Amino acid sequence: MAVLVDRDTRLCVSGITGREGTFHTLRNRDYGTQVVSGVTPGKGGQDVEGIPVFDTFHAAVAETGANAAMIFVPPRFAADSILEAEDAGIELIVAITEGIPAHDELRVYNHLARNPDVRLVGPNCPGILSPGKANVGIIPAAFFKEGNVGVVSRSGTLTYQIGNELAQSGFGNSSIVGIGGDPVPGSSFIDIIELFEADPQTEL
């Protein structure tokens, strides 16, 4: 098993047409993640190497059944993008964007706190990797292999180092979750550890 993302994850990427958004979206798809759509206002009807682009999350969800969102838009647009994804019914939102103003993060946190069905990971995070199943974000998957060790970290770079050390020691991972280092994280260490504790295939 895995926490948060797996083979059933259907990902929609906000900011898919930007340079970084395109690059990492295609890397996630190459890993095996089901990337079903992207969102860039004003570019609906286009596609990114076969991935359809929509003007809004509502349209993307209605057409493609997306159940997870990755946020790659510039900081000034990120809060509204997160809230739009939530309003469209997406239950997992992974915000990669860094530099979001703290007051925007607080606005998002307070709003999402009223919806227990939605989980935000990030902002300013490397994302979530469930080895052999799905990669949502910028984690270099080659460092990791499948196993029973769960990893949660604020630091992206240390996450990669820990994964590499574990792999070299013969251990694999059920999931790796980067929660980000911003002042108002959407999910805390405690939130993610509770998910690992409930996962029968995460033992360490």
Side-chain angles (χ1 to χ4, degrees):
M1 288 184 66
V3 301
L4 298 174
V5 301
D6 55 25
R7 294 186 181 93
D8 294 325
T9 297
R10 296 176 60 81
L11 182 63
C12 178
V13 181
S14 180
I16 189 172
T17 56
R19 183 183 65 182
E20 293 293 316
T22 295
F23 176 78
H24 290 291
T25 296
L26 296 178
R27 284 176 60 90
N28 288 175
R29 185 177 70 172
D30 289 345
Y31 188 75
T33 309
Q34 292 189 75
V35 182
V36 297
S37 53
V39 172
T40 300
K43 295 190 177 181
Q46 298 182 21
D47 73 273
V48 174
E49 296 199 15
I51 302 168
V53 179
F54 297 86
D55 288 322
T56 66
F57 270 110
H58 282 275
V61 171
E63 289 291 327
T64 67
N67 58 17
M70 180 165 65
I71 309 299
F72 251 114
V73 301
R76 65 185 182 279
F77 303 126
D80 287 341
S81 186
I82 293 167
L83 295 178
E84 183 190 349
E86 181 260 350
D87 190 60
I90 290 178
E91 296 184 351
L92 173 66
I93 305 168
V94 181
I96 309 298
T97 304
E98 62 178 313
I100 300 175
H103 66 273
D104 279 355
E105 294 181 352
L106 188 60
R107 173 166 62 94
V108 166
Y109 181 89
N110 286 332
H111 180 86
L112 296 185
R114 298 193 291 269
N115 188 345
D117 295 327
V118 175
R119 179 178 300 277
L120 172 65
V121 176
N124 188 22
C125 78
I128 308 166
L129 169 67
S130 294
K133 302 176 181 69
N135 189 8
V136 175
I138 62 175
I139 296 175
F143 288 154
F144 302 92
K145 65 178 184 178
E146 292 185 68
N148 62 358
V149 180
V151 174
V152 55
S153 174
R154 292 184 67 180
S155 166
T157 304
L158 290 178
T159 301
Y160 316 151
Q161 181 178 346
I162 291 168
N164 191 40
E165 294 286 342
L166 287 170
Q168 290 182 352
S169 300
F171 295 97
N173 299 103
S174 56
S175 292
I176 301 94
V177 183
I179 61 173
D182 278 9
V184 190
S187 295
S188 68
F189 280 108
I190 293 173
D191 296 331
I192 305 303
I193 289 171
E194 287 177 348
L195 296 179
F196 281 129
E197 289 177 338
D199 177 22
Q201 293 188 15
T202 299
E203 299 178 13
L204 302 170

